[in-house]
Amino acid sequence: MNQMSSVKKSCICAICIALCYVLPMAFHAFGIGDELSPMHNPVLMCGLLLGPGYGAFCGIAGPIISSTTGMPSFMQCFYMVPELAVYGLVTGLMMKLVHTKKLCLDLYISMIPAMLLGRIVGGLAQRLVISVMGTGETFNIAIWALGYFVGTLPGIIAQLVLLPILIVMLEKARVIPKRYNTSKQVS
């Protein structure tokens, strides 16, 4: 998927950042924002499609721009930015490194470590924010794990189901280049 021009990559990155702004408002309006983690989708997508640099940039810019709506709050940005930057960076790196000749397998191998590492980095950042800024909160590893893994399980499942489908659809619609040429060449 590295055959896109820098202009096209920049446009797709901008769309992903815009989705980081719009999706949380839409999902939180229906009261399902926390469970479905809507901002994670465009950041993961950006890393998968465009690589680590664009993915990390989207993971940084998305929550900062979206914080102007209060979602996330200013304080939440201190741990959401590292979490989402890791999502974009790791998915992009993994897509560069992993070539199984099966697009969906590449996507899963790229997404799962990114989602785990991002959540761990987000938790470490949250712990750091609480201890340095003296917010009056206490950090409890069990509560963090419940919130970051169990509480967002519907979003995790949705990401693992919907993002590969969306990427396959974008390939078929020729919006993005094919990762693997499946046509047999006759010599």
Side-chain angles (χ1 to χ4, degrees):
M1 290 185 201
N2 57 4
Q3 304 149 352
M4 286 187 266
S5 71
S6 60
V7 172
K8 187 170 185 175
K9 286 182 177 184
S10 296
C11 290
I12 292 172
C13 184
I15 290 168
C16 289
I17 292 169
L19 287 170
C20 285
Y21 181 82
V22 173
L23 289 177
M25 287 190 296
F27 281 67
H28 283 281
F30 293 102
I32 55 174
D34 291 337
E35 298 82 14
L36 294 179
S37 307
M39 196 180 305
H40 297 195
N41 296 300
V43 174
L44 289 165
M45 176 74 76
C46 190
L48 292 169
L49 294 178
L50 307 177
Y54 286 98
F57 178 74
C58 181
I60 293 167
I64 291 171
I65 292 169
S66 184
S67 72
T68 62
T69 67
M71 294 174 279
S73 70
F74 176 74
M75 290 301 291
Q76 287 173 313
C77 271
F78 286 107
Y79 46 90
M80 278 193 74
V81 167
E83 175 186 3
L84 296 181
V86 168
Y87 283 178
L89 178 72
V90 173
T91 54
L93 285 173
M94 294 297 290
M95 285 298 282
K96 283 184 180 271
L97 297 173
V98 174
H99 296 280
T100 65
K101 303 291 184 202
K102 304 260 187 236
L103 174 61
C104 285
L105 187 56
D106 291 357
L107 294 170
Y108 287 119
I109 291 171
S110 300
M111 287 171 50
I112 292 170
M115 293 165 77
L116 291 171
L117 284 172
R119 282 173 166 76
I120 291 168
V121 167
L124 292 172
Q126 185 178 16
R127 172 69 175 108
L128 183 65
V129 166
I130 288 170
S131 64
V132 170
M133 295 191 171
T135 61
E137 298 176 63
T138 57
F139 185 84
N140 180 308
I141 192 84
I143 292 173
W144 167 79
L146 281 171
Y148 267 61
F149 292 96
V150 178
T152 60
L153 192 58
I156 293 168
I157 292 168
Q159 290 156 7
L160 292 172
V161 171
L162 297 177
L163 290 178
I165 291 170
L166 183 57
I167 290 173
V168 168
M169 289 171 56
L170 289 171
E171 262 197 9
K172 285 186 179 186
R174 298 182 186 193
V175 174
I176 59 171
K178 284 191 173 278
R179 183 165 173 90
Y180 298 113
N181 187 358
T182 55
S183 64
K184 299 202 180 204
Q185 306 231 347
V186 178
S187 32

